[in-house]
Amino acid sequence: MNLKKINVAVALLLASVFASAVYADIALQSKEQVEGTWKLEHTKNSLTDKDPVTREDTWVFKDGKLTILHIPREGKYYDQPPVNYEIEDGKLKIALVGSGRFEEFSLVEMNDKNMTLKGKFGSYSFFAKK
């Protein structure tokens, strides 16, 4: 293998390492990190999905409870009753209404104004702080 091919291979390897680091999950440490009111702006099936789904609901995290407000359904809107949420192994676990099961999310990005969550099946939810 000549030096040029080795340099290209090394460059590709480094690029893949840095690209995967950009989208690495961030471990949540406490419930307080997500506490507040977040407008769910859109969801995507993957980060490269060209067709995001616009959303209208608002997620309110407060005192270990999540209330989802303004959920559209058949031309009307409804609010989901509060459910418990917890942080376990760095992930956000949200109880499903009327079930003993949880939905699990990883934190992908968070700052003072935005939060991106990744569902366990690879979908992404993009929030703006209200």
Side-chain angles (χ1 to χ4, degrees), residues 18-29 33-34 38 42-48 87 89-92 104-112 114-127:
F18 287 117
S20 63
V22 169
Y23 298 113
D25 295 342
I26 302 166
L28 288 163
Q29 304 299 318
Q33 285 179 271
V34 296
W38 297 91
H42 64 278
T43 59
K44 289 180 160 188
N45 290 326
S46 71
L47 285 176
T48 57
I87 305 302
D89 297 327
K91 303 209 185 280
L92 173 64
E104 189 173 281
F105 295 90
S106 299
L107 180 63
V108 176
E109 178 182 24
M110 181 179 232
N111 58 41
D112 292 343
N114 299 294
M115 173 172 68
T116 303
L117 297 176
K118 178 182 170 187
K120 68 179 176 180
F121 298 113
S123 63
Y124 289 82
S125 300
F126 298 86
F127 296 86

Side-chain angles (χ1 to χ4, degrees), residues 1 11 50 57 66 68 113 125:
M1 194 181 263
K50 301 281 189 232
D57 36 322
L66 167 64
I68 301 178
K113 297 179 183 179
S125 300

Side-chain angles (χ1 to χ4, degrees), residues 1-13:
M1 194 181 263
N2 69 30
L3 189 57
K4 193 174 201 176
K5 286 183 181 179
I6 291 172
N7 287 341
V8 170
V10 168
L12 288 173
L13 177 64

